[in-house]
Amino acid sequence: MNFILVRNGDCNVNCVQWISAEGIIKPDTARQFEKFLRKLKGERLPVVFQSGGGNVDAALEMGHMIRAAGLETAIGRTQLNGCPMLVPRCPQKMVRNGWSEGEVHSGGAYCFSACPWALAGGQVRAAAANARIAVHQITNGRKTPRMHNGRRSLDEISTVPDPALKQLLSDYFDEMGVNSADVFAMMGLATPQGLYNVWDAEALKSGIITKVYSYSEEPGYVIGGTNVADPADPTPAATPVPAVTTMPDELMHLLP
């Protein structure tokens, strides 16, 4: 997984800004994220995830960092300006020590496996109604199990209960305000080699997300004039205004 600052629009007037976090969560991803956050010098922007998952320990560590920094999270896909649709975050358009330019859309984005655990670190965590969240059973075995026809090899994973890992996850979910019983129930519905697709109502009830975007909403903070964040400027910018703040009325009854 890698992280870039992205904005859309003329920030001298107003623009939308966010942190794009995409790719597989590897064991060193949490350390990379920690370095990235230090460069922001306390500036708060939403972390927008699109990931197939990865290392659980790193995902939990990222979640703790996000919560400690008081950040919001969302599921969304970033399309950088000038990149082809099939390579939406093409390397030549990714600015490492400044702002990349692009758009963000939650519809059709995904957050699988360990990704929802990092997402859970957000004080507010949002997704579109047609974003995909999926979880799987707790598995042990090879650190990077081989794939066969797009599926994890059953010979290299085990779903033998791991009480220590389950307790670790349970404590983390409780800390983040996620219903661990609901999450474990959904994980148990997945086949050993597959994923369980979490419905919007289930994601809201369990606390994996706390908000569903309306059709007119997207991730990111609207920034204007003197509120523009500059990663090279040591002076923190003024507090931004969230681009989205409410849940559609028709979904309010889904909350616990």
Side-chain angles (χ1 to χ4, degrees):
M1 177 174 281
N2 54 53
F3 311 95
I4 54 174
L5 290 169
V6 191
R7 63 188 179 190
N8 182 19
D10 180 0
C11 292
N12 291 317
V13 182
N14 62 67
C15 63
V16 178
Q17 299 180 348
W18 67 97
I19 297 167
S20 174
E22 298 196 16
I24 298 300
I25 301 171
K26 298 180 180 180
D28 65 341
T29 297
R31 298 278 69 79
Q32 294 176 12
F33 185 59
E34 183 179 32
K35 293 178 182 178
F36 181 87
L37 288 181
R38 282 202 297 266
K39 294 180 181 179
L40 297 184
K41 298 180 173 64
E43 180 65 26
R44 295 183 181 181
L45 292 173
V47 183
V48 181
F49 285 101
Q50 175 156 272
S51 172
N55 185 272
V56 171
D57 291 335
L60 300 187
E61 194 170 351
M62 287 174 61
H64 280 123
M65 293 179 196
I66 289 169
R67 182 59 59 90
L71 305 181
E72 298 185 5
T73 57
I75 300 173
R77 50 191 175 86
T78 294
Q79 174 73 51
L80 297 182
N81 295 346
C83 289
M85 292 296 293
L86 294 179
V87 191
R89 292 166 88 247
C90 54
Q92 60 268 33
K93 297 297 182 179
M94 295 173 66
V95 179
R96 296 297 182 181
N97 294 304
W99 289 97
S100 301
E101 305 284 342
E103 298 180 353
V104 62
H105 302 284
S106 187
Y110 59 86
C111 185
F112 296 161
S113 184
C115 174
W117 314 153
L119 180 81
Q123 293 182 323
V124 175
R125 33 201 188 270
N130 60 341
R132 292 187 61 197
I133 302 172
V135 297
H136 58 69
Q137 294 187 33
I138 298 174
T139 58
N140 306 297
R142 289 175 56 92
K143 295 295 184 182
T144 54
R146 289 185 289 265
M147 306 293 286
H148 178 68
N149 293 331
R151 295 179 180 272
R152 293 176 294 168
S153 172
L154 289 178
D155 295 330
E156 296 174 349
I157 64 175
S158 169
T159 55
V160 174
D162 185 336
L165 178 57
K166 185 173 182 179
Q167 187 61 53
L168 175 68
L169 290 173
S170 180
D171 291 344
Y172 175 79
F173 295 150
D174 291 344
E175 180 183 353
M176 298 301 161
V178 177
N179 187 308
S180 58
D182 285 351
V183 173
F184 288 136
M186 290 185 287
M187 293 168 71
L189 291 173
T191 60
Q193 75 275 29
L195 293 166
Y196 175 75
N197 289 300
V198 180
W199 292 88
D200 299 337
E202 294 172 323
L204 282 168
K205 180 178 180 296
S206 65
I208 292 177
I209 61 174
T210 61
K211 177 167 59 181
V212 174
Y213 291 130
S214 71
Y215 293 111
S216 62
E217 295 173 324
E218 297 291 2
Y221 282 165
V222 175
I223 309 292
T226 58
N227 289 344
V228 177
D230 183 352
D233 185 350
T235 304
T239 303
V241 178
V244 292
T245 57
T246 59
M247 181 185 301
D249 292 339
E250 63 269 21
L251 293 173
M252 290 296 292
H253 69 283
L254 298 175
L255 288 173

